[in-house]
Amino acid sequence: MPQRIRALIERLAKLSEAEDWAEDLNPAQMTALTYLDRANRFSRAPSHVAAYSGSTRGTVSQTLRALERKGLVTEFRSESDRRSISFEVTESGHALASAQKMLDQVLTALPPESAAALELGLDTVLRDLITARGGKAFGICRTCRHHLKLGAGGYCQLLAVNLQPAETGQICHEYETAG
Amino acid sequence: MPQRIRALIERLAKLSEAEDWAEDLNPAQMTALTYLDRANRFSRAPSHVAAYSGSTRGTVSQTLRALERKGLVTEFRSESDRRSISFEVTESGHALASAQKMLDQVLTALPPESAAALELGLDTVLRDLITARGGKAFGICRTCRHHLKLGAGGYCQLLAVNLQPAETGQICHEYETAG
DNA sequence: TTGCAATAGTTTCGAGTCGCTACTATTCTA
DNA sequence: TAGAATAGTAGCGACTCGAAACTATTGCAA
């Protein structure tokens, strides 16, 4: 049973990634782009992309350069730490990242409760797997243990910054489960 | 919501495939090996592996040669059609194919009803996606429209052959949904 | 303060993958 | 029986990925 589920996951992923080529992006580039599109401003450095995608800084460096060449992301060097770089997704990058794929259509056609169950199940499995391997989880800001609700927006106790409402729904590399 | 589910699937697959390297196999080789390990005797040709894994015959040819070099599969040329080749998984190949991965452990730890829901959901999504793309589904023999129950084993109306009990639980490349 | 370690990112290189095209061999078909 | 179709292989070229070495910057500790 678990092996069948694993086979299903791997096959689905492969089929889904096969579509990336249609956009002139390889799967690694598409993963980086969609990640950057959903990550908050503290989580858009090459090393964060590397940690998220389970790759290395060197490889990600090439991937991001390709995305920049194609005008999908823009590089911003930090003022405070001149070693670090943050990437912004451009308008055309955002359009590509949020383009609907065939898998999305199929998922949308699913009964809502099935889709919800699927998402919950997969999310649980992913977090368990990451915990077992000792990696970073990369969760949604507002569900993090360091998050405080503050009016419409929020406050991060770890980074000691105020958060815009929209930011609290983005991915953060510092995420830790509330439990 | 669908995009999040897709991201979960792709991330899980990548994490899972990262483990393949530990066995000295790349993901493509592992996919081919586990497929061959679960496929019935009519479904173990290079072209079947190619269709299953969404690759090409040429690429799969290389993959299978690598598996044979490592002693995980053995080649058998057909008597009836001298163009075709069928691959058998060796004992060590079977051991590798059925080795438990971390993802399997995590899945096993899941409440049974959650696991069942997950499998059902993923299976539905995969079949829908394959249908939308016009590919072959590759399902379990005994649930196929051409399958007839016959005593302990079965009978395939398409290939006109009797089936051993164990065979009816294997993957067939001729599979078609009963509905 | 100064020097060493740690961190962020890049570059280069080599092994390996993948798909495409062209090819052989065999079987089907009209 | 000739030509089309099918099964598989070979070789090439583009590309990917990760490892190791490198630069630049920052943190830390004596």
Side-chain angles (χ1 to χ4, degrees):
Chain A
M1 170 95 108
Q3 329 235 2
R4 276 218 297 280
I5 298 179
R6 171 157 54 86
L8 286 170
I9 291 173
E10 292 179 359
R11 258 184 103 192
L12 270 171
K14 173 155 272 180
L15 283 177
S16 170
E17 290 178 347
E19 278 180 67
D20 295 342
W21 294 103
E23 320 274 21
D24 203 39
L25 293 184
N26 67 39
Q29 289 165 5
M30 186 57 94
T31 301
L33 181 63
T34 51
Y35 168 76
L36 288 175
D37 192 51
R38 293 181 51 213
N40 69 17
R41 59 194 147 107
F42 314 111
S43 312
R44 301 198 198 111
S47 54
H48 301 145
V49 178
Y52 176 83
S53 62
S55 184
T56 63
R57 295 195 314 267
T59 299
V60 166
S61 183
Q62 304 176 51
T63 302
L64 293 176
R65 247 188 313 127
L67 289 178
E68 185 160 39
R69 264 203 317 275
K70 296 175 187 178
L72 304 174
V73 300
T74 323
E75 170 184 313
F76 286 97
R77 309 206 84 98
S78 160
E79 305 282 309
S80 49
D81 185 339
R82 300 227 306 269
R83 292 170 302 179
S84 12
I85 295 181
S86 187
F87 283 88
E88 290 273 341
V89 175
T90 66
E91 208 166 325
S92 60
H94 177 70
L96 254 189
S98 46
Q100 209 186 34
K101 300 220 240 170
M102 253 189 241
L103 177 52
D104 297 323
Q105 290 176 20
V106 169
L107 287 167
T108 308
L110 229 51
E113 66 274 12
S114 302
L118 200 55
E119 179 168 358
L120 180 63
L122 288 173
D123 190 78
T124 306
V125 170
L126 178 60
R127 305 220 168 275
D128 290 352
L129 182 57
I130 287 174
T131 305
R133 298 171 45 117
K136 282 195 173 189
F138 282 88
I140 303 294
C141 171
R142 104 164 64 78
T143 67
C144 171
R145 74 141 47 105
H146 301 116
H147 181 78
L148 272 188
K149 230 174 132 180
L150 197 74
Y155 176 78
C156 176
Q157 297 174 288
L158 180 69
L159 304 174
V161 291
N162 282 93
L163 302 163
Q164 298 297 317
E167 289 182 319
T168 65
Q170 293 180 320
I171 296 177
C172 185
H173 75 110
E174 299 282 15
Y175 174 89
E176 287 176 57
T177 39
Chain B
M1 167 97 106
Q3 330 236 2
R4 275 218 299 280
I5 298 179
R6 173 158 53 85
L8 286 169
I9 291 173
E10 291 179 359
R11 258 184 102 193
L12 269 171
K14 174 154 271 180
L15 283 177
S16 170
E17 290 179 346
E19 279 180 67
D20 295 343
W21 294 105
E23 321 274 20
D24 202 39
L25 293 185
N26 67 39
Q29 289 165 4
M30 187 57 95
T31 300
L33 182 63
T34 53
Y35 167 75
L36 288 175
D37 192 50
R38 293 182 51 213
N40 68 17
R41 60 195 147 107
F42 314 111
S43 312
R44 301 199 198 111
S47 53
H48 301 144
V49 178
Y52 176 84
S53 62
S55 183
T56 63
R57 295 194 315 259
T59 300
V60 166
S61 184
Q62 302 177 55
T63 302
L64 293 176
R65 248 190 308 126
L67 289 179
E68 185 160 40
R69 265 203 316 275
K70 296 175 188 180
L72 304 173
V73 300
T74 322
E75 172 184 312
F76 285 97
R77 308 205 86 99
S78 159
E79 304 283 306
S80 49
D81 184 340
R82 300 229 305 267
R83 292 171 304 182
S84 7
I85 294 181
S86 186
F87 283 87
E88 289 272 341
V89 175
T90 66
E91 207 168 325
S92 59
H94 177 71
L96 255 188
S98 45
Q100 210 186 33
K101 301 220 237 171
M102 255 188 239
L103 177 52
D104 296 324
Q105 289 177 20
V106 168
L107 287 168
T108 309
L110 230 50
E113 65 274 12
S114 302
L118 200 56
E119 179 169 359
L120 180 63
L122 289 172
D123 190 78
T124 307
V125 170
L126 178 60
R127 303 217 170 276
D128 290 353
L129 182 58
I130 288 174
T131 306
R133 299 171 43 117
K136 282 193 171 190
F138 282 86
I140 302 294
C141 171
R142 99 164 66 79
T143 68
C144 170
R145 72 142 49 106
H146 300 116
H147 181 80
L148 272 187
K149 227 172 134 181
L150 196 74
Y155 176 78
C156 176
Q157 296 175 288
L158 180 69
L159 304 174
V161 291
N162 282 92
L163 301 163
Q164 299 296 318
E167 290 181 318
T168 66
Q170 293 180 320
I171 296 177
C172 186
H173 76 109
E174 299 282 14
Y175 174 89
E176 288 176 56
T177 40

